[in-house]
Amino acid sequence: MIDYFMQFNTEADAITAAEAAGKLGQRDDQGNWHWNLDHVAPDIKAWRISQDVTNPDGSVTHTYLSGWYCIVSLNGINAQLNNHPNLAFTLDRDGPPYVIKNNMGAVITNLGFQPIFAGSHYPIGGVS
Amino acid sequence: MSRYTGGGGYLPLTWWLAGSTIDLWFSQSKYFDSAVGDGVPVTNYLSISRASTGYAKNSSGTWISFGNDTLRITDLGLLIEGSRTNNLLNSEAPATQTTASLGTGSYTLWVEGSGSATPTGGTATITGGGAATAGSPNTFTVTVAGTVVVTVSGSLTRFQLEAGSWASSYILTTGATATRAQDSVTFAGTLTTLIQTMPNSLVIDLTAEVFPPDFWRIVGDTSSGNAYAYSPSDNTSVNQFNGTDVVSANFGGGRSYTLGAKIGTSRASGTGRSAVAGGGTVATDAFGPGTLTVPTLGESGSASQTWFGPFRRATFWNTRLADATLQGFTAP
């Protein structure tokens, strides 16, 4: 499957973009937005591995990157998502190759993300 | 268990129900279409979108893994659940750890093995934390967002910490927390045509993982609020819903239900009316639900209204069944 990691300033911005495209979710009769959680994982946390701090008890503290992230997972390449201005990068969880598109440059190997969809695995550095 | 799935002398020589058009007996892996015959693929009638692996437990208590976009069918039925995230790392090598920051709300910690796991507040403030042991999950509340420390004692084989007030199916994690995507199970092929054409009837037998805390859909529509059948938050009845018109019938209690529903030749009330049935009773006069544009099992397009639990059997007719027939199928 192809996983599109999208970055927005806020969830409201992401909803605006999804609603404009008429995809990835819908509003209920009270006007509340609902992501299609069968293939959208909203509110993903991202951090740089190099900024991690290991605490005395062995736990690791991440410094989360600003912004709001989500993963959109589809069965194939979707040009609309792949060329979207808010795309951070595109990964093929069934790779190699794993990196389909990278709008963040070489920094991708220093990125950590979670949660990820169960069963996905990206052995390319920080992205588990 | 009702006579519907209970077997015994009530069933005819053939396993499918008399006069049924499509009979999907998930827990027996038997599928029938009157236009094709016995042994048809279930994927002719139901399709699924789920962008993650998922597990389902069988009657022996074994977790079985299912790949992306695969119906989770075991001898307990077709498992349908909403999305959940396991906030613990390395779920099959349980060790004491501190979670990432958790938002406010209810969380459930469950374990397998001979030990226990206990949540305490790290930077979070929690209430209700206590030891979770096999078969006895702990549900606690995060009142101030932050990290939670989960302390493992003894020998555990699996553990899971998920948002929500009940335990859902297992989510395997390794070096990152992981999300099981929602099961979006939509009708396909001739079953779509059947459910969108009047008249029709259905009988469904299923179990809920918890008493439905919201308007959990049994047969719904991702594109509207319409529901052919749903379980409301009062936990005891099955309803049909079309905007403001609601009619209900009692399930008869418990989290294991057999329900019936039918739509006449018109959505209007009166002769040829629609109805729902549960617990051996048929609700009186009903105004039928609107057309299901994207008919689904267990889903409405709203995460809080997604069914959590296995569907054991779903049978459909392209006719309007008599009240007595629905009463018979849904009787405890």
Side-chain angles (χ1 to χ4, degrees), chain B residues 22 45 186-197 292-295:
Chain B
I22 294 169
Y45 309 97
T186 52
F187 287 34
T190 54
L191 185 57
T192 303
T193 305
L194 186 156
I195 208 72
Q196 292 177 334
T197 305
L292 306 180
T293 305
V294 184

Side-chain angles (χ1 to χ4, degrees), chain B residues 21 30 76-77 93 104 120 122 140 147 160 164-165 177 186 201 228 234 247-249 255:
Chain B
T21 308
K30 293 178 176 178
L76 294 178
T104 58
T120 54
F140 61 94
T147 62
Q160 183 159 308
S165 58
T177 60
T186 52
S201 307
Y228 198 150
D234 64 8
V247 63
S248 65
R255 291 184 291 108

Side-chain angles (χ1 to χ4, degrees), chain A residues 1 38-39 73 93 117-118, chain B residues 49-53 68-69 181-182:
Chain A
M1 298 192 80
D38 59 310
H39 64 285
S73 187
R93 69 171 78 163
F117 277 122
Chain B
S49 171
R50 190 189 59 244
S52 74
T53 55
N68 310 325
D69 298 335
Q182 177 173 317

Side-chain angles (χ1 to χ4, degrees), chain B residues 39 70 77 104 109 144 175 192 242 245 266 287 310:
Chain B
T70 304
T104 58
L109 173 65
V144 177
T192 303
N242 176 48
D245 297 292
S266 159
F287 192 80

